[in-house]
Amino acid sequence: MWHDHQRVDEYEWMQRSEASDRLQKYLEEERAYTNRMMNSTKRLQKLLRKEMSRATEVDQLPPPIETRCGDYVYFTRKSNDGALVYCRYLADRTAESRAEQVLLDSERLTRDQGYVLRNLLISDDNQYMGCLAAKHGGLDGGSESSSLLLYTLGDVGSPKLVEVLEGVFNFVFGMNDTLFYIVLDAKLRASKVMAHQIGFGQNEDIVIFDEPCHECFVDITRTKDKRFHIINSSKLDSSKAYLFPSAHDFWQHSSKDANAQVLQLVRPRQDNVEYFIDHHDGEFIILTNSPKDDGSGLPAAEPLPFRLVRAPTDSPTSEHWAELLSLGGDELIEDVEIFKNHIMVSMKRQGQPAVYIYDRASGRRSELPLPYNGNCTVRPEPNPQFEATTVRLGFSSPVHLESVVEYDMTLVKQCKSWASTPLHINSSEYICRRLKVPCGNVDIPMTLIHHGSTEVSKA
């Protein structure tokens, strides 16, 4: 009953475990219905995509981000047909003598093997490539789970397919020819983490974590310095995380109890409290909205602003957390990215975006200059290289399309930029500014956009 109105949830049955077969059938029928109803619009969809593409003019495209791993540099490019092509070259070669080795063409994977690529990762030793892919057809590949295609990589020639793991939702490589992957339960909930040894059958895989709570969604990630793996168990408003050293051998300690002991719970779950972990230079960096007087375990009355804390490598639990950055009362952290020598913190200050670079050696905090006088939205670009000294950010504003700016984190200044502009619109003719409109005892932020020739009332 809501506001004297009786609400009937017609989809409540989907939450019941005994309805898993019915739910699967329902989803398949819904997908088939959508494809059938939209089938006649395929030509229109194609025309709309072309029209939208013609409506923008790309001044420059940023070059692909290159990521070094050992002796190789990895990058992606687009084929003539617009498909992603994954490549690498030996890092010690000069630009003139570089021989590009094509690892995977996403269009050929679909055309020749019927798979749609979802994710691609390379092992630490550069010997294996893992491709998470779904069979072509339906929406988003037609299934929540996918096949994990494992290839061996030689110095030359095409990769060789050596294994296929089925029913994989997500995965990450480990060390010493191992990987970890997520599987779904009957209700399509990511619930279990499996450990796999490359070269052995999938039936020999080990369960290292099984989340019993049906409201939780499980994932596994790796710290950017590749020293730890993190198992995240998340609900809509809360999270808990377990970590284990990436070098741990689950097969050497194959008993269930022994492997369970290596998983270290960082902080118990608490309603309205979330936290996200990375590791850097002998300590964990944690983004959290937990209360500072932590320890009660009682649900937080409401979600608090996020803060950035640190904890020693050997004591990551919440009683050892200490503040890393001091924030102003009008600053709210939105995102954090870790690099070897820097930490990038994206935040809102009085409702407007701000990006700070925290220098790990000096402890100095510097603010990056943002384009469009700060009247923009900020989008982190992929920045996978841990050792990088430059970082890319994406920007857009009410009168500008997507642009990408590369910053030097050491010098704290812009070094390159690439922009797209709308056709038939000269962005420089328009003014975009931020105002505060008083309303009672509160100032309401407002973005005002107008042509430069328009007279604005002073009232």
Side-chain angles (χ1 to χ4, degrees):
M1 185 72 72
W2 292 86
H3 303 290
D4 298 323
H5 176 72
Q6 182 70 35
R7 178 182 177 273
V8 178
D9 185 358
E10 298 179 359
Y11 301 97
E12 183 273 336
W13 61 270
M14 292 182 173
Q15 303 178 38
R16 304 175 198 159
S17 58
E18 65 270 17
S20 58
D21 292 341
R22 181 185 172 193
L23 175 60
Q24 182 67 33
K25 184 173 182 294
Y26 177 89
L27 293 174
E28 291 172 356
E29 291 176 348
E30 185 180 67
R31 185 176 294 116
Y33 174 81
T34 302
N35 290 338
R36 187 169 64 253
M37 297 301 293
M38 297 298 292
N39 186 60
S40 61
T41 68
K42 284 184 177 180
R43 182 174 179 274
L44 176 61
Q45 292 178 45
K46 188 175 181 179
L47 291 173
L48 286 173
R49 283 194 295 268
K50 286 185 176 180
E51 181 178 336
M52 293 175 69
S53 178
R54 287 195 300 266
T56 62
E57 179 180 282
V58 179
D59 300 328
Q60 286 181 312
L61 287 174
I65 293 178
E66 297 186 339
T67 305
R68 174 149 187 184
C69 181
D71 294 333
Y72 289 92
V73 174
Y74 294 85
F75 65 97
T76 60
R77 59 174 174 81
K78 287 191 175 182
S79 67
N80 294 333
D81 298 323
L84 283 177
V85 180
Y86 296 80
C87 310
R88 73 176 181 180
Y89 62 84
L90 284 169
D92 60 358
R93 300 290 177 85
T94 62
E96 294 76 16
S97 62
R98 283 176 188 166
E100 175 188 285
Q101 182 185 6
V102 175
L103 303 179
L104 185 78
D105 184 320
S106 59
E107 183 191 28
R108 290 190 61 183
L109 182 69
T110 302
R111 185 181 68 239
D112 299 343
Q113 301 183 47
Y115 284 106
V116 177
L117 184 66
R118 287 182 169 176
N119 192 17
L120 184 148
L121 296 176
I122 303 294
S123 63
D124 292 355
D125 58 7
N126 298 292
Q127 297 301 307
Y128 297 100
M129 176 176 69
C131 300
L132 192 64
K135 275 296 182 181
H136 183 56
L139 297 177
D140 193 26
S143 174
E144 293 292 336
S145 60
S146 305
S147 301
L148 178 54
L149 314 178
L150 287 173
Y151 297 83
T152 56
L153 302 177
D155 293 335
V156 295
S158 300
K160 179 182 178 182
L161 180 65
V162 292
E163 288 186 37
V164 178
L165 305 183
E166 298 294 354
V168 178
F169 180 74
N170 196 14
F171 82 104
V172 62
F173 276 108
M175 299 175 69
N176 304 318
D177 295 351
T178 64
L179 61 86
F180 305 94
Y181 63 94
I182 304 293
V183 296
L184 306 179
D185 63 11
K187 295 178 67 175
L188 306 182
R189 177 182 65 94
S191 62
K192 192 178 295 185
V193 182
M194 308 292 296
H196 174 76
Q197 252 186 327
I198 299 174
F200 292 81
Q202 192 172 0
N203 60 339
E204 299 182 53
D205 293 351
I206 299 173
V207 179
I208 64 170
F209 182 80
D210 193 355
E211 175 58 73
C213 178
H214 295 296
E215 297 180 27
C216 296
F217 185 94
V218 173
D219 197 13
I220 184 166
T221 58
R222 197 174 184 187
T223 56
K224 210 167 179 181
D225 64 1
K226 298 185 178 182
R227 287 191 58 188
F228 293 89
H229 281 76
I230 300 169
I231 298 174
N232 302 286
S233 175
S234 303
K235 296 171 67 173
L236 288 175
D237 63 350
S238 65
S239 65
K240 68 176 178 180
Y242 298 83
L243 58 88
F244 62 89
S246 296
H248 178 73
D249 187 343
F250 282 93
W251 284 267
Q252 185 178 359
H253 309 86
S254 58
S255 73
K256 185 176 181 180
D257 291 340
N259 283 326
Q261 290 176 6
V262 78
L263 301 182
Q264 183 168 13
L265 176 63
V266 177
R267 187 187 191 279
R269 188 185 306 280
Q270 183 180 359
D271 288 349
N272 289 324
V273 172
E274 299 176 273
Y275 61 98
F276 309 93
I277 309 170
D278 212 324
H279 187 266
H280 179 280
D281 196 22
E283 63 182 5
F284 287 99
I285 308 297
I286 302 142
L287 178 64
T288 181
N289 65 345
S290 68
K292 292 186 179 180
D293 55 343
D294 182 35
S296 67
L298 296 175
E302 60 183 22
L304 298 173
F306 279 89
R307 58 198 178 100
L308 198 62
V309 300
R310 70 206 318 171
T313 296
D314 56 357
S315 304
T317 50
S318 54
E319 60 266 25
H320 300 287
W321 291 0
E323 299 297 317
L324 178 60
L325 287 179
S326 58
L327 300 177
D330 57 355
E331 295 179 330
L332 297 174
I333 296 179
E334 293 192 323
D335 189 43
V336 174
E337 187 151 7
I338 306 294
F339 298 91
K340 183 177 181 179
N341 298 317
H342 303 89
I343 299 176
M344 182 178 70
V345 182
S346 302
M347 61 177 63
K348 285 290 180 65
R349 186 177 54 217
Q350 295 183 348
Q352 287 192 284
V355 180
Y356 285 97
I357 300 298
Y358 179 78
D359 188 290
R360 294 286 285 155
S362 66
R364 185 181 68 252
R365 176 176 123 166
S366 305
E367 185 172 357
L368 292 179
L370 303 185
Y372 317 133
N373 297 318
N375 296 311
C376 57
T377 58
V378 181
R379 181 191 70 255
E381 291 285 300
N383 294 287
Q385 189 71 49
F386 179 61
E387 295 81 6
T389 58
T390 60
V391 64
R392 288 184 184 180
L393 293 173
F395 298 94
S396 62
S397 85
V399 293
H400 300 85
L401 292 181
E402 299 292 333
S403 62
V404 176
V405 177
E406 187 171 282
Y407 291 93
D408 185 310
M409 291 187 285
T410 303
L411 301 177
V412 196
K413 69 176 186 179
Q414 176 180 326
C415 50
K416 297 176 185 177
S417 65
W418 304 269
S420 302
T421 57
L423 289 178
H424 315 304
I425 296 178
N426 186 350
S427 301
S428 63
E429 295 179 357
Y430 291 83
I431 296 173
C432 177
R433 52 181 172 162
R434 188 84 162 180
L435 304 176
K436 288 185 179 179
V437 180
C439 180
N441 296 324
V442 179
D443 287 339
I444 307 240
M446 177 182 294
T447 300
L448 181 64
I449 310 162
H450 61 87
H451 194 271
S453 61
T454 303
E455 293 187 8
V456 180
S457 171
K458 303 294 183 181

